[in-house]
Coordinates of all heavy atoms in Angstrom, one line a residue:
M48 N 126.5 90.3 109.4 CA 125.3 91.1 109.5 C 125.5 92.1 110.5 O 126.1 91.9 111.6 CB 124.2 90.1 109.8 CG 123.0 90.7 110.5 SD 121.6 89.5 110.8 CE 122.3 88.3 111.9
Q49 N 125.0 93.3 110.4 CA 125.1 94.4 111.3 C 123.9 94.4 112.2 O 122.8 94.1 111.8 CB 125.1 95.8 110.6 CG 126.4 96.1 110.0 CD 127.5 96.3 111.0 OE1 127.3 97.0 112.0 NE2 128.7 95.8 110.7
L50 N 124.1 94.6 113.5 CA 123.0 94.5 114.5 C 123.1 95.9 115.4 O 124.2 96.3 115.8 CB 123.2 93.4 115.4 CG 122.3 93.4 116.7 CD1 120.8 93.2 116.3 CD2 122.7 92.3 117.6
E51 N 121.9 96.4 115.6 CA 121.8 97.5 116.5 C 120.6 97.1 117.5 O 119.5 96.8 117.0 CB 121.5 98.8 115.9 CG 122.6 99.4 115.1 CD 122.3 100.8 114.6 OE1 121.2 101.5 114.9 OE2 123.1 101.3 113.7
I52 N 120.9 97.2 118.8 CA 119.8 97.1 119.8 C 119.7 98.4 120.4 O 120.6 98.9 121.0 CB 120.2 96.0 120.8 CG1 120.4 94.6 120.1 CG2 119.0 95.9 121.8 CD1 120.8 93.5 121.0
I53 N 118.5 99.0 120.4 CA 118.2 100.4 120.8 C 117.0 100.3 121.7 O 116.0 99.8 121.4 CB 117.9 101.3 119.6 CG1 119.1 101.3 118.6 CG2 117.7 102.7 120.1 CD1 118.8 101.9 117.3
T54 N 117.1 101.1 122.8 CA 116.0 101.3 123.7 C 115.7 102.8 123.6 O 116.5 103.6 123.1 CB 116.3 100.9 125.2 OG1 117.3 101.9 125.7 CG2 116.8 99.5 125.3
P55 N 114.6 103.3 124.2 CA 114.3 104.7 124.2 C 115.4 105.5 124.9 O 115.6 106.7 124.6 CB 113.0 104.9 125.0 CG 112.4 103.5 124.7 CD 113.5 102.5 124.7
E56 N 116.1 104.9 125.8 CA 117.1 105.6 126.6 C 118.6 105.5 126.0 O 119.3 106.5 126.2 CB 117.2 105.1 128.1 CG 115.9 105.3 128.9 CD 114.9 104.2 128.6 OE1 115.2 103.1 128.2 OE2 113.7 104.6 128.8
V57 N 118.9 104.5 125.4 CA 120.3 104.2 125.1 C 120.4 103.3 123.9 O 119.6 102.4 123.7 CB 121.1 103.7 126.4 CG1 120.6 102.3 126.7 CG2 122.6 103.7 126.1
K58 N 121.5 103.4 123.2 CA 121.9 102.3 122.2 C 122.7 101.3 122.9 O 123.7 101.5 123.5 CB 122.7 102.9 121.1 CG 123.1 101.8 120.0 CD 124.1 102.4 119.0 CE 123.3 103.3 118.0 NZ 124.1 103.7 116.9
V59 N 122.1 100.1 123.1 CA 122.6 99.0 124.0 C 123.8 98.4 123.2 O 124.8 98.1 123.9 CB 121.5 98.0 124.2 CG1 122.1 96.8 125.1 CG2 120.3 98.6 125.0
F60 N 123.7 98.1 121.9 CA 124.7 97.4 121.2 C 124.6 97.8 119.7 O 123.6 97.9 119.1 CB 124.5 95.9 121.3 CG 125.5 95.0 120.5 CD1 126.7 94.8 121.0 CD2 125.2 94.6 119.2 CE1 127.7 94.1 120.3 CE2 126.2 93.9 118.5 CZ 127.4 93.6 119.0
A61 N 125.8 97.9 119.2 CA 125.9 98.0 117.7 C 127.3 97.3 117.2 O 128.3 97.5 117.9 CB 126.1 99.5 117.3
G62 N 127.1 96.5 116.3 CA 128.3 95.7 115.8 C 128.0 94.5 114.8 O 126.8 94.3 114.5
E63 N 129.0 93.9 114.4 CA 128.9 92.8 113.5 C 128.7 91.5 114.2 O 129.2 91.2 115.3 CB 130.3 92.7 112.7 CG 130.3 91.6 111.6 CD 129.4 92.0 110.4 OE1 129.2 93.2 110.2 OE2 129.1 91.1 109.7
V64 N 127.6 90.7 113.8 CA 127.2 89.5 114.4 C 127.1 88.4 113.4 O 126.9 88.7 112.2 CB 125.9 89.7 115.2 CG1 126.1 90.8 116.2 CG2 124.8 90.0 114.3
Q65 N 127.1 87.1 113.8 CA 126.8 86.0 113.0 C 125.4 85.5 113.0 O 124.9 85.1 112.0 CB 127.7 84.8 113.4 CG 129.2 85.1 113.3 CD 129.7 85.3 111.9 OE1 129.3 84.7 111.1 NE2 130.5 86.3 111.8
A66 N 124.7 85.6 114.2 CA 123.4 85.2 114.4 C 122.8 85.8 115.6 O 123.5 86.3 116.5 CB 123.3 83.7 114.6
V67 N 121.5 86.0 115.5 CA 120.7 86.6 116.7 C 119.5 85.7 117.0 O 118.7 85.4 116.0 CB 120.3 88.0 116.4 CG1 119.5 88.6 117.5 CG2 121.5 88.8 116.0
Q68 N 119.3 85.3 118.2 CA 118.0 84.7 118.6 C 117.1 85.6 119.3 O 117.6 86.3 120.3 CB 118.4 83.5 119.5 CG 117.2 82.6 119.9 CD 117.6 81.5 120.8 OE1 118.0 81.7 122.0 NE2 117.5 80.3 120.3
L69 N 115.9 85.7 118.9 CA 114.9 86.7 119.4 C 113.7 86.0 120.0 O 113.3 85.0 119.5 CB 114.5 87.6 118.3 CG 115.7 88.5 117.6 CD1 115.3 88.9 116.3 CD2 116.0 89.6 118.5
P70 N 113.1 86.7 121.1 CA 111.9 86.2 121.6 C 110.6 86.7 120.9 O 110.1 87.8 121.3 CB 112.0 86.6 123.1 CG 112.7 88.0 123.0 CD 113.7 87.8 121.9
G71 N 110.2 86.0 119.9 CA 109.0 86.5 119.1 C 107.8 86.2 119.8 O 107.8 85.4 120.8
L72 N 106.7 86.7 119.4 CA 105.4 86.5 120.0 C 104.9 85.1 120.0 O 104.3 84.6 120.9 CB 104.3 87.4 119.3 CG 104.5 88.9 119.4 CD1 103.3 89.6 118.7 CD2 104.5 89.3 120.9
D73 N 105.3 84.4 119.0 CA 105.0 82.9 118.9 C 106.1 82.0 119.3 O 106.1 80.8 119.0 CB 104.6 82.5 117.4 CG 103.3 83.2 117.0 OD1 102.4 83.4 117.9 OD2 103.1 83.6 115.8
G74 N 107.2 82.5 119.9 CA 108.4 81.7 120.4 C 109.7 82.3 119.8 O 109.7 83.2 119.1
L75 N 110.7 81.6 120.3 CA 112.0 82.0 119.9 C 112.3 81.8 118.3 O 111.8 80.8 117.8 CB 113.1 81.2 120.6 CG 113.2 81.5 122.1 CD1 114.2 80.5 122.7 CD2 113.7 82.9 122.4
F76 N 113.0 82.7 117.7 CA 113.4 82.4 116.4 C 114.8 83.0 116.2 O 115.2 83.9 116.9 CB 112.4 83.0 115.3 CG 112.3 84.5 115.3 CD1 113.0 85.2 114.4 CD2 111.5 85.2 116.2 CE1 112.9 86.6 114.4 CE2 111.4 86.5 116.2 CZ 112.1 87.3 115.3
Q77 N 115.5 82.5 115.1 CA 116.9 82.9 114.9 C 117.0 83.6 113.5 O 116.5 83.1 112.5 CB 117.8 81.7 115.1 CG 119.3 82.2 115.0 CD 120.2 80.9 115.4 OE1 119.9 79.8 115.1 NE2 121.2 81.2 116.1
I78 N 117.8 84.6 113.5 CA 118.2 85.3 112.2 C 119.7 85.1 112.0 O 120.5 85.4 112.9 CB 117.8 86.7 112.3 CG1 116.3 86.9 112.4 CG2 118.3 87.5 111.0 CD1 115.8 88.4 112.5
L79 N 120.0 84.5 110.8 CA 121.4 84.3 110.5 C 121.8 85.3 109.4 O 121.0 86.0 108.7 CB 121.5 82.9 109.9 CG 121.2 81.7 110.8 CD1 121.3 80.4 110.1 CD2 122.1 81.7 112.0
N80 N 123.1 85.4 109.2 CA 123.6 86.2 108.2 C 123.1 85.9 106.8 O 123.0 84.7 106.4 CB 125.2 86.0 108.1 CG 125.9 87.2 107.4 OD1 125.4 88.2 107.2 ND2 127.1 86.9 107.0
G81 N 122.7 86.9 106.0 CA 122.0 86.6 104.8 C 120.5 86.3 104.8 O 120.0 85.9 103.7
H82 N 119.9 86.4 105.9 CA 118.4 86.1 106.0 C 117.6 87.0 105.2 O 118.0 88.1 104.9 CB 118.1 86.3 107.5 CG 116.8 85.6 107.9 ND1 115.5 86.2 107.5 CD2 116.5 84.5 108.6 CE1 114.5 85.4 108.0 NE2 115.2 84.4 108.6
A83 N 116.5 86.5 104.7 CA 115.5 87.4 103.9 C 115.0 88.5 104.9 O 114.9 88.3 106.1 CB 114.4 86.5 103.5
P84 N 114.5 89.6 104.3 CA 113.9 90.7 105.0 C 112.8 90.2 105.9 O 112.0 89.4 105.5 CB 113.5 91.7 104.0 CG 114.3 91.4 102.8 CD 114.6 89.9 102.8
I85 N 112.7 90.8 107.2 CA 111.7 90.4 108.1 C 111.4 91.5 109.0 O 112.3 92.3 109.3 CB 112.1 89.1 108.9 CG1 111.0 88.6 109.7 CG2 113.4 89.4 109.6 CD1 111.3 87.2 110.4
I86 N 110.1 91.6 109.4 CA 109.7 92.5 110.5 C 108.9 91.7 111.5 O 108.1 90.8 111.1 CB 108.8 93.6 110.1 CG1 109.6 94.5 109.1 CG2 108.3 94.5 111.3 CD1 108.8 95.6 108.5
S87 N 109.2 91.7 112.8 CA 108.5 90.8 113.8 C 108.4 91.6 115.1 O 109.3 92.3 115.5 CB 109.4 89.6 114.1 OG 108.7 88.8 115.1
A88 N 107.2 91.4 115.7 CA 107.0 91.9 117.1 C 107.8 91.0 118.1 O 107.8 89.8 117.8 CB 105.6 92.0 117.4
L89 N 108.2 91.6 119.2 CA 108.9 90.8 120.2 C 108.2 90.8 121.5 O 107.6 91.9 121.9 CB 110.3 91.3 120.3 CG 111.2 91.4 119.0 CD1 112.6 92.1 119.3 CD2 111.5 90.0 118.5
K90 N 108.4 89.8 122.3 CA 107.8 89.8 123.7 C 109.0 89.9 124.7 O 110.1 89.8 124.3 CB 107.0 88.5 123.9 CG 107.7 87.2 123.9 CD 106.8 86.0 124.1 CE 107.6 84.8 124.2 NZ 106.7 83.6 124.4
E91 N 108.7 89.9 125.9 CA 109.6 89.9 127.0 C 110.5 88.6 126.9 O 109.9 87.5 126.7 CB 109.0 90.1 128.3 CG 110.0 90.2 129.5 CD 109.3 90.5 130.8 OE1 108.1 90.8 130.9 OE2 110.1 90.6 131.8
G92 N 111.8 88.8 127.1 CA 112.7 87.7 127.0 C 114.1 88.1 126.8 O 114.5 89.3 127.2
V93 N 114.9 87.2 126.3 CA 116.4 87.5 126.1 C 116.8 87.4 124.7 O 116.4 86.4 124.0 CB 117.2 86.5 127.0 CG1 118.7 86.7 126.8 CG2 116.9 86.6 128.5
V94 N 117.5 88.4 124.2 CA 118.1 88.4 122.9 C 119.4 87.8 123.1 O 120.3 88.3 123.8 CB 118.2 89.8 122.3 CG1 118.9 89.8 121.0 CG2 116.8 90.5 122.2
K95 N 119.7 86.7 122.4 CA 121.0 86.0 122.4 C 121.8 86.4 121.1 O 121.2 86.2 120.0 CB 120.9 84.5 122.5 CG 122.2 83.7 122.5 CD 121.9 82.3 122.5 CE 123.3 81.5 122.3 NZ 123.0 80.1 122.1
V96 N 123.0 87.0 121.2 CA 123.7 87.4 120.1 C 125.0 86.6 119.9 O 125.9 86.5 120.9 CB 124.1 89.0 120.3 CG1 124.8 89.4 119.0 CG2 122.8 89.7 120.5
D97 N 125.2 86.0 118.8 CA 126.5 85.3 118.5 C 127.3 86.3 117.7 O 127.0 86.6 116.5 CB 126.2 84.1 117.6 CG 125.5 83.0 118.4 OD1 125.5 83.0 119.6 OD2 124.8 82.2 117.7
L98 N 128.4 86.8 118.3 CA 129.2 87.8 117.8 C 130.2 87.3 116.7 O 130.5 86.1 116.7 CB 130.0 88.5 118.9 CG 129.1 89.2 119.9 CD1 130.0 89.6 121.2 CD2 128.4 90.4 119.4
A99 N 130.7 88.2 115.9 CA 131.7 87.8 114.9 C 133.1 87.6 115.6 O 133.9 86.9 115.1 CB 131.8 88.9 113.8
T100 N 133.3 88.4 116.7 CA 134.6 88.3 117.5 C 134.3 88.3 118.9 O 133.1 88.5 119.3 CB 135.5 89.6 117.2 OG1 134.7 90.8 117.6 CG2 135.9 89.6 115.8
N101 N 135.3 88.0 119.7 CA 135.1 88.0 121.2 C 134.6 89.3 121.7 O 135.0 90.4 121.2 CB 136.4 87.6 122.0 CG 136.8 86.2 121.7 OD1 136.1 85.4 121.2 ND2 138.0 85.8 122.2
F102 N 133.7 89.3 122.7 CA 133.1 90.5 123.3 C 134.1 91.1 124.3 O 134.7 90.4 125.1 CB 131.9 90.2 124.0 CG 131.2 91.4 124.5 CD1 130.5 92.3 123.7 CD2 131.1 91.6 125.9 CE1 130.0 93.5 124.2 CE2 130.5 92.8 126.4 CZ 129.9 93.7 125.6
E103 N 134.4 92.4 124.1 CA 135.3 93.1 125.0 C 134.5 94.1 125.7 O 133.8 95.0 125.1 CB 136.4 93.8 124.2 CG 137.3 92.8 123.4 CD 138.2 91.9 124.3 OE1 138.5 92.3 125.5 OE2 138.4 90.8 123.9
V104 N 134.5 94.2 127.1 CA 133.8 95.2 127.9 C 134.7 96.4 127.9 O 135.9 96.4 128.1 CB 133.6 94.6 129.3 CG1 132.9 95.7 130.2 CG2 132.8 93.4 129.3
T105 N 134.0 97.5 127.7 CA 134.6 98.9 127.8 C 133.8 99.7 128.7 O 132.7 99.4 129.2 CB 134.7 99.5 126.4 OG1 133.4 99.9 125.9 CG2 135.4 98.7 125.4
E106 N 134.2 101.0 128.9 CA 133.5 101.9 129.8 C 132.1 102.3 129.1 O 131.2 102.7 129.8 CB 134.3 103.2 130.2 CG 134.7 104.1 129.0 CD 135.9 103.6 128.2 OE1 136.6 102.7 128.6 OE2 136.2 104.2 127.2
K107 N 132.0 102.1 127.8 CA 130.8 102.4 127.2 C 129.8 101.3 127.0 O 128.7 101.4 126.5 CB 131.0 102.9 125.7 CG 131.8 104.3 125.7 CD 132.1 104.7 124.3 CE 132.8 106.0 124.2 NZ 133.0 106.5 122.9
T108 N 130.2 100.1 127.5 CA 129.3 98.9 127.5 C 128.1 99.1 128.4 O 128.2 99.5 129.5 CB 130.1 97.7 128.0 OG1 131.2 97.4 127.1 CG2 129.2 96.4 128.0
S109 N 127.0 98.8 127.8 CA 125.7 99.0 128.5 C 125.6 98.0 129.6 O 126.0 96.8 129.5 CB 124.5 98.7 127.5 OG 123.3 98.7 128.2
D110 N 124.9 98.4 130.7 CA 124.6 97.5 131.9 C 123.7 96.4 131.4 O 123.5 95.4 132.2 CB 124.1 98.3 133.1 CG 125.1 99.3 133.6 OD1 126.3 99.1 133.4 OD2 124.7 100.2 134.3
L111 N 123.0 96.6 130.4 CA 122.0 95.6 129.9 C 122.6 94.4 129.3 O 121.9 93.4 129.1 CB 120.9 96.2 128.9 CG 120.2 97.5 129.5 CD1 119.3 98.1 128.4 CD2 119.3 97.1 130.7
I112 N 123.8 94.5 128.9 CA 124.6 93.4 128.3 C 125.1 92.4 129.3 O 125.8 92.8 130.2 CB 125.7 93.8 127.3 CG1 125.0 94.6 126.2 CG2 126.5 92.7 126.7 CD1 126.1 95.3 125.3
E113 N 124.9 91.1 129.1 CA 125.5 90.1 130.0 C 126.3 89.2 129.1 O 125.8 88.7 128.1 CB 124.4 89.2 130.7 CG 123.7 89.9 131.7 CD 122.8 89.0 132.5 OE1 123.0 87.8 132.5 OE2 121.7 89.5 133.0
K114 N 127.6 89.0 129.4 CA 128.5 88.1 128.7 C 128.1 86.7 129.0 O 127.7 86.3 130.2 CB 129.9 88.3 129.1 CG 130.6 89.6 128.6 CD 132.0 89.8 129.2 CE 132.9 88.7 128.7 NZ 134.3 89.0 129.1
D115 N 128.2 85.8 128.1 CA 128.0 84.4 128.3 C 129.1 83.8 129.1 O 130.3 84.1 128.8 CB 127.8 83.6 127.0 CG 127.3 82.2 127.1 OD1 128.1 81.3 127.3 OD2 126.1 82.0 127.0
S116 N 128.8 83.0 130.1 CA 129.9 82.4 130.9 C 130.8 81.4 130.2 O 131.9 81.1 130.6 CB 129.3 81.9 132.2 OG 128.5 80.8 131.9
K117 N 130.2 80.8 129.1 CA 130.9 79.7 128.5 C 131.5 80.1 127.2 O 132.5 79.4 126.7 CB 130.0 78.5 128.3 CG 129.5 77.9 129.6 CD 128.6 76.7 129.4 CE 128.1 76.2 130.7 NZ 126.9 75.3 130.6
D118 N 131.0 81.1 126.5 CA 131.4 81.4 125.1 C 131.7 82.9 125.1 O 130.8 83.7 125.2 CB 130.3 81.0 124.1 CG 130.8 81.2 122.7 OD1 131.8 81.8 122.4 OD2 130.2 80.5 121.8
P119 N 133.0 83.4 124.8 CA 133.3 84.8 124.8 C 132.7 85.5 123.5 O 132.8 86.7 123.5 CB 134.8 84.8 124.8 CG 135.2 83.5 124.2 CD 134.1 82.5 124.7
K120 N 132.1 84.8 122.6 CA 131.6 85.4 121.4 C 130.0 85.5 121.5 O 129.4 85.8 120.6 CB 131.9 84.6 120.2 CG 133.3 84.7 119.7 CD 133.5 84.0 118.4 CE 135.0 84.1 118.0 NZ 135.2 83.5 116.7
V121 N 129.5 85.2 122.8 CA 128.1 85.3 123.0 C 127.7 86.3 124.1 O 128.3 86.3 125.1 CB 127.5 83.9 123.3 CG1 126.0 84.0 123.6 CG2 127.7 82.9 122.2
I122 N 126.7 87.1 123.8 CA 126.1 88.1 124.8 C 124.6 87.9 124.8 O 124.0 87.4 123.9 CB 126.5 89.5 124.5 CG1 125.9 90.0 123.2 CG2 128.0 89.7 124.6 CD1 126.0 91.5 123.0
H123 N 124.1 88.3 126.0 CA 122.6 88.3 126.2 C 122.1 89.6 126.6 O 122.7 90.3 127.4 CB 122.3 87.2 127.3 CG 122.8 85.9 127.0 ND1 122.2 84.9 126.3 CD2 124.0 85.3 127.4 CE1 122.8 83.8 126.3 NE2 124.0 84.0 126.9
V124 N 120.9 90.0 126.1 CA 120.4 91.3 126.4 C 118.8 91.0 126.8 O 118.1 90.5 125.9 CB 120.4 92.3 125.2 CG1 119.8 93.6 125.6 CG2 121.9 92.5 124.8
G125 N 118.5 91.3 128.0 CA 117.1 91.2 128.4 C 116.2 92.4 127.9 O 116.7 93.5 127.9
I126 N 115.1 92.0 127.3 CA 114.1 93.0 126.8 C 112.8 92.8 127.4 O 112.4 91.7 127.8 CB 114.1 93.1 125.3 CG1 113.5 91.8 124.7 CG2 115.4 93.4 124.7 CD1 113.3 91.8 123.2
K127 N 111.9 93.9 127.3 CA 110.6 93.7 127.9 C 109.6 93.7 126.7 O 108.4 93.6 126.9 CB 110.2 94.9 128.7 CG 111.0 94.9 130.0 CD 110.7 96.0 130.9 CE 111.6 96.1 132.1 NZ 111.5 97.3 132.8
G128 N 110.1 93.7 125.4 CA 109.2 93.6 124.3 C 109.9 94.6 123.3 O 110.9 95.2 123.5
G129 N 109.2 94.6 122.1 CA 109.7 95.5 121.0 C 109.4 95.0 119.6 O 108.6 94.2 119.4
V130 N 110.3 95.5 118.7 CA 110.1 95.1 117.3 C 111.5 95.0 116.7 O 112.5 95.7 117.0 CB 109.4 96.3 116.5 CG1 109.4 96.0 115.0 CG2 108.1 96.6 117.1
A131 N 111.6 93.9 115.8 CA 112.9 93.7 115.1 C 112.6 93.9 113.5 O 111.6 93.4 113.1 CB 113.3 92.3 115.4
E132 N 113.6 94.5 112.9 CA 113.4 94.6 111.4 C 114.8 94.3 110.8 O 115.8 94.9 111.2 CB 113.0 96.1 111.1 CG 113.0 96.4 109.6 CD 112.7 97.8 109.2 OE1 113.5 98.7 109.8 OE2 111.9 98.1 108.5
L133 N 114.8 93.4 109.8 CA 116.0 93.1 109.1 C 115.8 93.6 107.6 O 114.9 93.0 106.9 CB 116.3 91.6 109.1 CG 117.5 91.1 108.3 CD1 118.8 91.6 108.9 CD2 117.4 89.7 108.1
I134 N 116.7 94.4 107.1 CA 116.7 94.8 105.7 C 118.1 94.9 105.3 O 118.9 95.5 106.0 CB 116.0 96.1 105.5 CG1 114.5 96.0 105.9 CG2 116.1 96.6 104.1 CD1 113.7 97.3 105.8
N135 N 118.5 94.4 104.1 CA 119.8 94.4 103.6 C 120.9 94.0 104.6 O 121.9 94.7 104.7 CB 120.1 95.8 103.1 CG 119.2 96.2 101.9 OD1 118.8 95.4 101.0 ND2 118.9 97.5 101.8
N136 N 120.7 92.9 105.3 CA 121.6 92.3 106.2 C 121.9 93.3 107.4 O 123.0 93.2 108.0 CB 122.9 91.9 105.5 CG 123.3 90.5 106.0 OD1 122.5 89.7 106.4 ND2 124.6 90.3 105.9
K137 N 121.0 94.2 107.7 CA 121.1 95.0 108.9 C 119.9 94.9 109.7 O 118.8 95.1 109.3 CB 121.3 96.5 108.6 CG 121.4 97.4 109.7 CD 121.7 98.9 109.4 CE 121.8 99.6 110.6 NZ 122.1 101.1 110.4
L138 N 120.1 94.3 111.0 CA 119.1 94.0 112.0 C 119.0 95.2 113.0 O 120.0 95.4 113.6 CB 119.3 92.7 112.6 CG 118.3 92.3 113.7 CD1 116.9 92.2 113.1 CD2 118.7 91.0 114.3
I139 N 117.8 95.8 113.1 CA 117.6 96.7 114.1 C 116.5 96.3 115.1 O 115.5 95.8 114.7 CB 117.2 98.1 113.5 CG1 118.2 98.7 112.6 CG2 116.8 99.1 114.6 CD1 117.8 99.9 111.8
V140 N 116.8 96.2 116.4 CA 115.9 95.8 117.4 C 115.6 97.0 118.3 O 116.4 97.6 118.9 CB 116.6 94.7 118.3 CG1 115.6 94.3 119.4 CG2 116.9 93.4 117.5
L141 N 114.3 97.4 118.1 CA 113.8 98.5 119.0 C 113.2 97.9 120.2 O 112.1 97.3 120.0 CB 112.8 99.4 118.2 CG 113.4 100.0 116.9 CD1 112.3 100.7 116.1 CD2 114.5 100.9 117.1
A142 N 113.8 98.0 121.3 CA 113.4 97.3 122.5 C 112.9 98.2 123.6 O 113.4 99.4 123.7 CB 114.5 96.3 123.0
E143 N 112.1 97.6 124.5 CA 111.8 98.3 125.7 C 112.6 97.9 126.9 O 113.0 96.7 126.9 CB 110.3 98.0 126.0 CG 109.3 98.5 125.0 CD 107.9 98.2 125.4 OE1 107.5 98.4 126.5 OE2 107.2 97.8 124.5

């Protein structure tokens, strides 16, 4: 599944992922590869991303991304709220 995490200032992340855990208004929920289309409002919290490959830090890596200390295929992105939309196996998270 393709994932993009975008804020008004910067594109935080774009790439291939296996699963994404999001802070929905009614609690955490997870989207897996092949999930049915969905639109959801998000509250303040952390987006947990299970990547398809190990995460490599580059000079273009956003300061908002935190690598998981135990799993090189997991990253965390703190958000203050937003909206997530999944269509045709492409998830876009518009975050504050």
Side-chain angles (χ1 to χ4, degrees):
M48 156 175 67
Q49 285 292 318
L50 170 66
E51 288 186 12
I52 302 175
I53 303 168
T54 69
E56 294 83 26
V57 66
K58 183 183 285 190
V59 177
F60 176 84
E63 186 71 21
V64 302
Q65 298 296 320
V67 180
Q68 185 181 66
L69 299 158
L72 295 179
D73 292 329
L75 293 174
F76 67 98
Q77 188 171 37
I78 296 177
L79 300 171
N80 196 20
H82 195 284
I85 186 173
I86 296 175
S87 179
L89 305 174
K90 66 179 181 180
E91 185 171 354
V93 175
V94 177
K95 178 183 174 189
V96 181
D97 294 336
L98 302 167
T100 60
N101 289 353
F102 183 70
E103 299 293 331
V104 176
T105 68
E106 65 275 353
K107 294 183 179 180
T108 300
S109 171
D110 293 339
L111 301 174
I112 296 176
E113 289 186 28
K114 289 175 63 174
D115 190 276
S116 61
K117 296 178 183 169
D118 189 342
K120 290 186 177 182
V121 175
I122 60 172
H123 304 271
V124 179
I126 64 170
K127 295 179 182 169
V130 176
E132 176 186 51
L133 176 71
I134 297 176
N135 295 327
N136 226 28
K137 182 175 182 180
L138 177 61
I139 298 174
V140 177
L141 302 174
E143 296 179 44

